[in-house]
Amino acid sequence: MSTSLTADYLISHRGRAEDLGAWVVGAAFGRGGRSCAFALGDGTVRLAAIEGDWAGVAAHDGACLAIAPDCKDGVITGGDDGRLMRIAPDASATEVAKYGSRWVDQVTSHESGLRAAAVGKAVHLLDGKGAALKSLAHPSTVTGIAFDAKGKRLAASHYNGASLWFVAAKESTPRLLEWKGSHTGVLISPDGTHVVTSMQENTLHGWRLADGQHMRMAGYPSKTKSMGFTAKGRWLATAGADCVVLWPFFGGGPMGKAPTELAGGDGVLCTMVACHPQQEVVAAGFGDGLVLIAEVASGRVVPVAPPGGSAVSALAWNDAGTHLAFGTEAGGAGLVDLSKR
């Protein structure tokens, strides 16, 4: 990656690129922090900063499968060794929970002090100290999990739909959102009014929770493996096409509304998207390694990192929106400081 850096890309003068030597499974910033953690396919987690050494920690006996910010600081990871781990900012690793030989392939947390880990057909809820709270059973393997903005509800995607749980309810009975097919990921809109899933087909599906109205967002040339709502929830940004596809979640949309396209034109598929936490700005990574930032209102594009021959597999902002991290299938990684003048 470093051999093709030019002044046209932000990483050449506002960031740092490294070869981590293994598939970058995901990236996440600790809440409120500026350092980033990269989860790798060889089981290690690398803690990155613009300056100084990138510390490494052996997190899993096998591959890292998932990473997310922890409740307060640091990150949590899941692996194919059946462990849920916490990686602190000082690069120390602590086992939070162990689930035998079953993979922990989905993890998430909420700043209120809740953690969740998907293991097979179950989602295990834990508090910020690692104590088990409850296990939520599903009809098939859980493929995605997400808390709502307030941490009151948790959505889980699985075969034939998604389940929506009130996490504090004494009786653990979910609202089942049904749609035939294999659902592979899930989001709850920032205002809590919609649930959206990606699917094994080249389409997205959604539900308006007030009345159960279905939404189908189709027309993609490939599967959508990455999606996210913009800061105020007006747009759903998605990968899976040769541009960033944005569906409007205002004015009655997305039903009956055409999507907006950003940063397309060269025929290379967008593989990852990440929405800025405060502004209507989307970061996008492509199948050739290109990373860019696009402003929704104006369509203005700022190049972050040049094509490097390997697809972008991880993309993340910090909470303040001042730092952007990315990683690729070949092990390339970068961290950009957008607060620099």
Side-chain angles (χ1 to χ4, degrees):
M1 176 181 291
S2 60
T3 59
S4 59
L5 295 183
T6 74
D8 294 333
Y9 295 91
L10 291 181
I11 197 164
S12 66
H13 54 96
R14 293 193 178 202
R16 178 174 171 183
E18 294 283 343
D19 182 1
L20 302 185
W23 187 308
V24 182
V25 174
F29 289 85
R31 299 185 193 277
R34 298 193 302 174
S35 63
C36 177
F38 293 98
L40 305 183
D42 64 3
T44 63
V45 173
R46 293 287 294 274
L47 299 181
I50 296 294
E51 298 178 356
D53 295 334
W54 286 22
V57 56
H60 295 280
D61 298 323
C64 292
L65 301 178
I67 186 170
D70 200 6
C71 304
K72 299 302 179 185
D73 59 8
V75 299
I76 53 174
T77 62
D80 62 8
D81 57 357
R83 295 193 297 165
L84 174 65
M85 300 292 292
R86 166 177 155 76
I87 312 301
D90 64 0
S92 61
T94 304
E95 182 179 287
V96 177
K98 171 72 173 175
Y99 299 103
S101 61
R102 294 168 296 174
W103 292 6
V104 182
D105 51 12
Q106 302 289 331
V107 298
T108 191
S109 76
H110 191 269
E111 60 187 0
S112 63
L114 285 173
R115 295 165 170 155
V119 182
K121 298 180 181 180
V123 174
H124 300 282
L125 291 177
L126 307 95
D127 65 17
K129 296 182 180 180
L133 299 176
K134 64 173 70 174
S135 293
L136 308 175
H138 297 82
S140 57
T141 299
V142 174
T143 55
I145 51 178
F147 285 112
D148 68 9
K150 296 181 180 179
K152 302 295 184 183
R153 296 175 295 178
L154 179 116
S157 57
H158 46 74
Y159 195 74
N160 286 341
S163 296
L164 187 62
W165 304 82
F166 281 96
V167 296
K170 292 183 179 180
E171 295 185 5
S172 297
T173 302
R175 176 178 175 180
L176 185 58
L177 305 172
E178 296 183 280
W179 188 260
K180 288 185 178 181
S182 180
H183 299 255
T184 57
V186 67
L187 289 176
I188 303 176
S189 62
D191 63 4
T193 60
H194 295 79
V195 171
V196 177
T197 60
S198 53
M199 297 192 69
Q200 189 67 24
E201 304 167 6
N202 299 349
T203 186
L204 307 178
H205 196 79
W207 297 262
R208 187 168 61 194
L209 296 179
D211 56 6
Q213 174 69 49
H214 289 275
M215 301 170 286
R216 186 171 182 267
M217 291 156 276
Y220 292 88
S222 69
K223 297 177 181 63
T224 298
K225 297 181 180 180
S226 178
M227 58 183 179
F229 280 97
T230 56
K232 296 181 180 179
R234 287 174 54 83
W235 300 93
L236 176 68
T238 64
D242 63 352
C243 59
V244 179
V245 178
L246 292 155
W247 295 94
F249 274 70
F250 56 90
M255 292 84 78
K257 303 285 186 180
T260 293
E261 298 181 355
L262 288 178
D266 60 4
V268 179
L269 288 178
C270 176
T271 56
M272 294 295 300
V273 295
C275 294
H276 192 281
Q278 299 174 11
Q279 303 170 17
E280 289 199 334
V281 169
V282 181
F286 290 80
D288 59 0
L290 173 68
V291 180
L292 53 81
I293 300 170
E295 187 178 53
V296 176
S298 68
R300 177 173 174 260
V301 173
V302 177
V304 175
S310 177
V312 176
S313 54
L315 205 54
W317 293 95
N318 70 337
D319 284 349
T322 59
H323 287 65
L324 176 68
F326 64 88
T328 73
E329 294 178 359
L335 181 61
V336 177
D337 182 354
L338 298 170
S339 66
K340 291 183 177 180
R341 298 295 182 183

